[in-house]
Amino acid sequence: GRTVLLSGSVDQSIRLWDLERSQALGAPLAGHTAAVMALAVAQRQGRTVIVSGSMDHSIRLWDLERGQVLGTPLAGHTGGVSALAVAERQGRTVIVSGGRDRSIRLWDLERGQALGPPLAGHTSWVNALAVAQLRGRTVIVSGSWDNSIRLWDLASGGLLRMIEVGAPVDSLVFRADSDLFAGTSKGFLAVRLA
């Protein structure tokens, strides 16, 4: 029932923090063999699951309440995993991952399996991901150090649009009314997608 903050670290761990008390909750979650670069939260079989992405090229799932790793790492990226998002596709929870291998991958959360081939097109690291509804369809929004933001159709994996932004993209936030906000190496950018 309490609000917690998750943090990933270069020390290869994940920590949960009690925001009201400003203190760590329990021992760090350990299992990655390199820096933890991305975190997301999902629901699996009625339980809250932490999804972590690391420079060790893997994605791991953790039971939030028990603080235990679930299953084996999801492997497929050939570079560090630097961005994560969670979406719904055909009634199933999907993990979206982006990495330093310049690809975006989709994973079935329940089965722990890759869904199709990677989404390719970025020419540098994928550092940011967001999932949103746009004109009645679910889209993946990816930001990269190739100075672009790309929109992908979640259902088909097809590229819908590319936006050149003139600077490496480090973060993305999508607002329900089709406004996209991006943090770049040159500052803050707002894009109207409607």
Side-chain angles (χ1 to χ4, degrees):
R2 68 179 138 194
T3 302
V4 298
L5 173 75
L6 297 171
S7 65
S9 175
V10 294
D11 73 1
Q12 307 168 11
S13 73
I14 300 161
R15 280 200 168 271
L16 281 72
W17 300 88
D18 183 322
L19 290 179
E20 290 179 14
R21 296 187 179 134
S22 299
Q23 64 186 23
L25 294 171
L29 304 180
H32 283 292
T33 59
V36 176
M37 303 298 289
L39 295 166
V41 177
Q43 293 293 313
R44 178 180 177 195
Q45 298 174 356
R47 299 186 70 85
T48 302
V49 174
I50 300 166
V51 183
S52 60
S54 170
M55 291 302 291
D56 66 11
H57 307 187
S58 76
I59 298 164
R60 288 184 176 262
L61 307 176
W62 309 82
D63 184 300
L64 176 65
E65 283 185 32
R66 296 181 182 147
Q68 297 173 335
V69 71
L70 298 171
T72 58
L74 305 181
H77 281 283
T78 59
V81 178
S82 49
L84 292 168
V86 177
E88 291 292 321
R89 182 172 114 172
Q90 298 170 343
R92 299 190 66 87
T93 303
V94 174
I95 300 166
V96 183
S97 61
R100 292 195 172 192
D101 59 2
R102 304 180 306 272
S103 75
I104 298 162
R105 298 186 72 94
L106 305 179
W107 309 86
D108 184 302
L109 175 67
E110 194 65 39
R111 295 185 179 128
Q113 297 175 338
L115 296 171
L119 307 183
H122 282 294
T123 58
S124 189
W125 302 345
V126 178
N127 280 341
L129 290 168
V131 175
Q133 292 293 316
L134 185 63
R135 292 185 212 104
R137 78 168 48 155
T138 305
V139 297
I140 300 165
V141 184
S142 59
S144 170
W145 277 21
D146 66 7
N147 301 345
S148 77
I149 295 170
R150 294 173 191 245
L151 280 69
W152 311 82
D153 181 66
L154 178 66
S156 70
L159 180 65
L160 300 171
R161 185 172 173 192
M162 182 180 77
I163 304 165
E164 291 286 342
V165 295
V169 179
D170 293 311
S171 60
L172 294 169
V173 175
F174 194 90
R175 205 167 68 179
D177 63 0
S178 75
D179 288 331
L180 175 69
F181 301 96
T184 74
S185 65
K186 292 184 179 179
F188 174 76
L189 175 72
V191 179
R192 171 69 49 129
L193 297 176

